[in-house]
Amino acid sequence: MSDGVATRVAAARTLDAVLHRGRSLKAALGASLPALADPRDRALVEAVVLAALRQRVRYNAALDAWTPRPLGQRDALLRALLLIGFAQLELGLPAHAALAATVDATRALGRAHQAGMVNALLRRATREPLPAAAPEAAWPDWLAAQVRADWPQEAAAIFAASADRPPLWLRVNRRWINRDAYLALLRQAGLDAAPDPLLADALRLEAGVPVQQLPGFDAGLVSVQDASAQAVADVLAPAPGARVLDACAAPGGKAAHLAERDPSLRLTALDVDARRVRRMQDTFARLRLDGLDARAADAARPDAWWDGAPFDAILIDAPCSATGIVRRQPDVLLHRREADIAALVQMQAALLDALWPLLVPGGTLVYATCSILHAENAAQIDRFLARTPDAQPQALPDELGHVAGHGRQRLPGEGGRDGFFYARLRKA
């Protein structure tokens, strides 16, 4: 099997696992990508699977309209391969190579008798536009209705932005190189990027590239992190030498950013999953960040891990519905259930209540999510303030997004950023 065919087979199996067998995108990619030796092949699999998930409603509409007989349940893998084929064409891959490799992948998957149909459908897609579909059609009815209720004026833009391919945001590790110097390295490598005027460490690339193509990535000069997530460091803004807790830290980007900006911070990074903590430690090692206390622990149960010394600043980047990052995790729309929201709201409240006593008087707690739902964000903070007399909300700048209760809400796509909520509280 050639590399091109193996790549399409891996992409089809990955998409099939997510669409038809309930696997998360992260888990499915984690299972398929290690088998591909070339990082360019791994990047291609990820790109086409993401594109197929974002545009699956349109692609399925094309199949329904163009196939002489509806594809059945036994054709689930073939459907996934066809969606991968459409995605390759819309991503601008050379049509001849994409068609040839996808048709050969049909045979490699034991569907030689359907190779002619695959060839005909993909050739038709090179001649005709695929059927249109409203972006909100990809959202479960209950979730689309909640977005419209929470953001009636902005809902259409939210749905449209969530179906778009996001830019690639980089965070320059100021401990080892300044942003202008790293920008010069990118340009020497033939990569065009632009600095963000609001974020001191951020660079934006319109087109994604494998991280191995980023100069100095393995040496820790740069990380991939969306601009909305980078803004958290400015919102928390701990004083030099402060004792800081990142309570839900994995995969470690925000903790790393804080440590890059100020090596004097005494930073503890927790996550409940030991495997994610090990990956977080690997990230810290790549970035050459020493002295960070990364440990597996349940932040909502401080009695099991806290040493009794209060923190000057606490970050709760809380588990949430991920409705602000659908463009990066489109499988959210397949796997999220209505009952999940109430459970997440309860978990977020438990984290706030458990960690507030660990904050020194006069200290700062930042609550953040990558959700756009009021129940997880503005309403969550309102309820916490109502039951916590010594919690005082602090004003945040307009650049962080829309006013949302006592916080700020960035909506997906605004400024090229992910959807994100921020609230900053001071302990009286």
Side-chain angles (χ1 to χ4, degrees):
M1 190 187 306
S2 72
D3 290 345
V5 174
T7 301
R8 274 70 180 182
V9 167
R13 292 193 185 281
T14 301
L15 184 62
D16 177 55
V18 176
L19 283 179
H20 306 127
R21 291 189 281 120
R23 296 287 299 278
S24 75
L25 175 61
K26 188 175 293 185
L29 287 171
S32 63
L33 294 186
L36 301 170
D38 192 325
R40 293 169 298 183
D41 291 338
R42 296 196 293 269
L44 177 60
V45 168
E46 188 167 1
V48 296
V49 170
L50 279 164
L53 285 169
R54 292 187 194 110
Q55 299 297 329
R56 70 185 187 282
V57 174
R58 290 178 53 240
Y59 295 175
N60 280 322
L63 291 182
D64 292 342
W66 292 354
T67 51
R69 292 191 304 275
L71 297 176
Q73 288 185 341
R74 290 187 296 179
D75 294 316
L77 184 56
L78 181 72
R79 178 183 288 273
L81 180 64
L82 284 163
L83 267 58
I84 291 297
F86 292 151
Q88 293 173 72
L89 298 176
E90 291 209 324
L91 288 173
L93 273 68
H96 175 75
L99 263 68
T102 306
V103 171
D104 285 346
T106 311
R107 300 186 179 97
L109 290 168
R111 298 282 184 146
H113 61 290
Q114 292 171 308
M117 181 185 72
V118 170
N119 183 58
L121 288 169
L122 296 184
R123 287 190 179 280
R124 184 169 179 177
T126 65
R127 300 189 303 268
E128 299 179 31
L130 272 64
E136 59 265 35
W139 291 63
D141 290 344
W142 67 268
L143 187 52
Q146 190 60 62
V147 172
R148 292 190 195 98
D150 287 353
W151 300 100
Q153 303 302 316
E154 297 84 7
I158 289 170
F159 296 136
S162 297
D164 283 345
R165 188 182 184 186
L168 179 67
W169 286 94
L170 304 181
R171 186 190 78 242
V172 178
N173 185 350
R174 66 168 71 177
R175 180 138 1 153
W176 309 121
I177 191 170
N178 66 51
R179 183 168 68 175
D180 289 343
Y182 190 77
L183 184 57
L185 291 180
L186 284 176
R187 288 172 176 163
Q188 289 171 17
L191 299 172
D192 189 27
D196 187 279
L198 301 175
L199 296 169
D201 304 309
L203 291 170
R204 174 175 170 171
L205 286 75
E206 293 305 322
V209 297
V211 294
Q212 289 78 11
Q213 292 183 22
L214 297 172
F217 180 84
D218 289 339
L221 299 189
V222 71
S223 297
V224 174
Q225 187 181 40
D226 189 82
S228 286
Q230 292 189 46
V232 169
D234 291 323
V235 177
L236 189 65
R243 190 167 195 246
V244 179
L245 172 66
D246 185 349
C248 309
K254 299 176 187 69
H257 193 195
L258 290 166
E260 290 167 3
R261 287 162 56 118
D262 184 357
S264 73
L265 295 177
R266 294 167 291 150
L267 204 152
T268 298
L270 303 183
D271 197 88
V272 72
D273 187 329
R275 291 171 300 177
R276 286 164 58 85
V277 171
R278 288 193 291 272
R279 289 195 291 270
M280 184 164 60
Q281 291 168 329
D282 291 342
T283 295
F284 297 156
R286 178 182 67 82
L287 297 170
R288 294 179 284 161
L289 300 174
D290 299 324
L292 278 71
D293 178 14
R295 63 175 83 170
D298 183 352
R301 300 179 59 193
D303 290 348
W305 56 266
W306 185 42
D307 63 5
F311 292 94
D312 303 299
I314 295 176
L315 170 61
I316 303 177
D317 181 16
C320 71
S321 63
T323 41
I325 56 170
V326 166
R327 61 185 188 165
R328 297 190 187 279
Q329 297 183 16
D331 58 321
V332 165
L333 301 181
L334 294 169
H335 302 145
R336 186 66 66 216
R337 299 292 179 261
E338 190 168 5
D340 296 343
I341 305 304
L344 287 164
V345 167
Q346 184 176 5
M347 183 188 303
Q348 294 153 3
L351 285 166
L352 283 162
D353 290 339
L355 294 174
W356 186 255
L358 280 57
L359 187 65
V360 68
T364 298
L365 183 147
V366 167
Y367 174 83
T369 76
C370 57
S371 170
I372 58 173
L373 301 183
H374 286 342
E376 299 180 275
N377 296 335
Q380 182 71 267
I381 294 301
D382 285 346
R383 290 189 295 269
F384 179 71
L385 291 171
R387 65 179 181 266
T388 313
D390 59 347
Q392 301 173 338
Q394 293 190 297
L396 293 172
D398 293 346
E399 65 196 48
L400 289 173
H402 304 258
V403 173
H406 292 286
R408 291 278 180 170
Q409 177 76 62
R410 172 75 63 177
L411 295 177
E414 293 179 335
R417 304 184 185 195
D418 287 344
F420 223 86
F421 176 81
Y422 315 86
R424 184 169 62 198
L425 309 176
R426 179 182 179 275
K427 192 169 191 177

